[in-house]
Amino acid sequence: MNFIVTSPFYPENFQLFTNRLKKQGFTVLGIGQEPYDQLSANLKSDLTEYYKVNDLENVDEVKKAVAYLYFKHGKIDRIESNNEHWLNLEAEIREQFNIPGNKPSDLKKVKYKSEMKKLFKKAGVPTVPGKIANKKTAVKRLVKELGLPVVAKPNSGVGSSATYKLIDDADVDKFVAEWDEKEPYFFEPYIEDARLLSFDGLIDQEGNIVFETGLYYKEPTLEVIKRQGDFGYCIQKQMPEKLRKYGHAIVEQFGMKERFFHIEFFEDGDDFLAVEYNNRVAGGYTIDMYNFANHIDLFKQYARVVAGLPFEHSDIPNQYCVALSQRDQFTYVHSDADIRSHYGNRFVFSKRMPDGFAELQGNQFYGILADTQEEVEDVFNYIHQRVEQ
């Protein structure tokens, strides 16, 4: 099978995706905008061919690259990056070259937040109510209906990009003044003090969930960005049964196949409110944290799913994996050496965050395993303890 990987170089931790496809027996072809010499020796070895384009955002240029690879290597069986940024591009490529997988018409339900809400309701899952605005004149009316504070986010958008928390009328006026109306915005109530968590996993070729996990954030993302607070989340050892039930209902309703998914919820008392369906694995180093927590290799298992083989589960009991970071502008009580020594073999991951993610996720990222909720709290407290100024 010929498998095109979009942007095989970036992000760095996704380079294993190419490697696992090759090990499964695929002919892996890469399309990216980095010069070939910039690729690591391992990545060069894993790729049968690499086609450099000037700009991956240029759909016509990428289509020419696919046509060339099709002509040289034969039928293209898959194209995928597992990166949300390239979902639209890959859907267009699949449609033009008749490649299995999501086409542009399939993405409406996972691209637009207003459409997601409809499917959450069809699945019988509680959701945060929302309203869409196409013009400035509608904003104040919608905010009045929903009540302050509200969150305003692009109806079609990635993560927390261009998302605002509007607390009072001054915030609303500022938003209205600055919004250029080029993209519709979706407004929903801000759920105060609600824990943000997720139900995540992998779907096989028949639409069945073959792997499931999830995480919860220490603090809401918008609050972390606003205060430049300490970022952290934890891979759960066991999913709440009600959350798991909701997650399965949503996956069935969305009808995706052969894909990772990342569904976000707010914890609301003893219930959960669906917020957003992401048609890919959670971003950043989260897939690495999933691997550590579940003692598994998810890119390897994804390659098996694409090959039509059964998912291989680990025999080792899963653990919590605490993912958290420190920021360069703060002084912490415990240094990198302290952390490594303190946690010993529970210390499993350490990376500098790329500058583009540092505002949200901090600068120095860690992964620490834990067996109990008490140990989880100890990790957060120990690594985030700052020197008093």
Side-chain angles (χ1 to χ4, degrees):
M1 292 177 67
N2 291 323
F3 198 119
I4 292 179
V5 175
T6 314
S7 186
F9 177 80
Y10 184 85
E12 180 186 4
N13 61 322
F14 278 34
Q15 291 183 22
L16 281 178
F17 178 47
T18 298
N19 177 263
R20 299 310 190 250
L21 291 170
K22 180 188 177 184
K23 286 188 173 181
Q24 189 57 52
F26 294 103
T27 297
V28 191
L29 312 167
I31 300 177
Q33 59 191 31
E34 292 80 15
Y36 181 74
D37 290 344
Q38 191 173 333
L39 275 57
S40 67
N42 288 337
L43 185 55
K44 289 177 181 177
S45 175
D46 292 334
L47 291 167
T48 297
E49 183 160 358
Y50 177 73
Y51 191 109
K52 180 192 177 303
V53 295
N54 293 317
D55 184 5
L56 271 176
E57 304 284 354
N58 187 325
V59 178
D60 290 335
E61 188 180 9
V62 176
K63 286 181 177 179
K64 289 178 182 178
V66 175
Y68 170 82
L69 294 173
Y70 195 115
F71 174 78
K72 185 172 181 180
H73 297 278
K75 181 178 179 292
I76 304 300
D77 298 285
R78 298 290 192 279
I79 180 170
E80 183 58 65
S81 62
N82 284 306
N83 189 323
E84 184 165 19
H85 189 79
W86 306 117
L87 286 178
N88 294 331
L89 170 66
E90 290 159 348
E92 287 193 43
I93 297 297
R94 293 190 193 102
E95 184 165 73
Q96 176 157 337
F97 293 90
N98 195 28
I99 301 171
N102 287 334
K103 309 300 192 297
S105 60
D106 299 314
L107 293 186
K108 183 179 180 181
K109 56 191 172 187
V110 296
K111 181 179 178 182
Y112 297 105
K113 296 174 177 61
S114 53
E115 295 298 321
M116 294 178 196
K117 301 287 185 181
K118 296 176 185 177
L119 291 182
F120 292 153
K121 291 178 180 178
K122 284 186 178 180
V125 176
T127 185
V128 181
K131 303 278 186 176
I132 188 170
N134 294 288
K135 296 292 182 182
K136 293 184 177 186
T137 51
V139 172
K140 291 190 176 182
R141 173 177 56 82
L142 296 184
V143 169
K144 184 177 181 180
E145 291 177 13
L146 296 170
L148 289 169
V150 299
V151 174
K153 46 191 171 184
N155 191 37
S156 173
V158 178
S160 300
S161 176
T163 297
Y164 305 91
K165 179 183 177 182
L166 310 180
I167 299 176
D168 51 30
D169 291 338
D171 287 339
V172 176
D173 290 339
K174 186 173 186 292
F175 174 84
V176 171
E178 295 178 354
W179 179 31
D180 60 13
E181 298 183 330
K182 290 182 179 179
E183 296 289 339
Y185 255 75
F186 192 78
F187 294 80
E188 59 188 29
Y190 182 83
I191 311 298
E192 295 283 0
D193 301 321
R195 187 164 71 162
L196 180 64
L197 66 171
S198 71
F199 177 75
D200 306 343
L202 177 62
I203 309 165
D204 68 11
Q205 293 182 347
E206 304 301 320
N208 303 307
I209 297 175
V210 292
F211 172 77
E212 59 187 54
T213 184
L215 60 85
Y216 67 85
Y217 290 93
K218 184 68 173 174
E219 286 192 70
T221 304
L222 289 179
E223 296 301 324
V224 172
I225 295 174
K226 181 180 179 180
R227 299 188 296 99
Q228 283 292 279
D230 289 315
F231 174 81
Y233 60 87
C234 180
I235 309 302
Q236 300 205 62
K237 189 174 179 179
Q238 186 173 2
M239 300 296 296
E241 187 54 38
K242 182 179 285 189
L243 180 66
R244 184 175 178 273
K245 177 184 175 182
Y246 286 167
H248 277 257
I250 289 171
V251 168
E252 182 178 354
Q253 186 64 50
F254 275 72
M256 295 298 177
K257 298 179 180 179
E258 200 181 281
R259 295 203 64 82
F260 287 106
F261 62 89
H262 171 62
I263 310 172
E264 296 179 345
F265 292 83
F266 279 128
E267 188 173 44
D268 184 33
D270 61 354
D271 207 353
F272 303 94
L273 304 175
V275 179
E276 189 168 319
Y277 184 106
N278 295 281
N279 203 32
R280 42 78 184 173
V281 70
Y285 295 121
T286 309
I287 191 165
D288 303 278
M289 302 302 104
Y290 289 158
N291 286 339
F292 288 122
N294 294 280
H295 305 283
I296 204 166
D297 183 334
L298 283 171
F299 282 147
K300 174 184 176 181
Q301 296 308 317
Y302 176 90
R304 287 179 59 85
V305 165
V306 177
L309 299 173
F311 190 99
E312 298 173 323
H313 291 271
S314 173
D315 293 329
I316 304 173
N318 66 321
Q319 296 172 272
Y320 295 104
C321 186
V322 188
L324 70 173
S325 64
Q326 294 181 339
R327 294 184 182 274
D328 289 350
Q329 67 261 43
F330 301 127
T331 302
Y332 295 87
V333 172
H334 304 292
S335 67
D336 183 89
D338 294 334
I339 296 168
R340 292 173 185 270
S341 174
H342 184 74
Y343 290 108
N345 60 8
R346 288 166 54 194
F347 183 103
V348 292
F349 193 83
S350 175
K351 286 280 188 180
R352 288 291 294 179
M353 292 297 298
D355 291 342
F357 297 105
E359 181 182 11
L360 168 59
Q361 299 186 15
N363 303 98
Q364 183 62 43
F365 190 90
Y366 295 106
I368 311 290
L369 293 177
D371 292 314
T372 66
Q373 190 63 49
E374 289 75 18
E375 289 180 357
V376 168
E377 292 304 316
D378 170 77
V379 174
F380 280 123
N381 294 333
Y382 186 87
I383 294 181
H384 283 162
Q385 185 180 359
R386 298 181 190 172
V387 174
E388 293 186 11
Q389 300 297 321

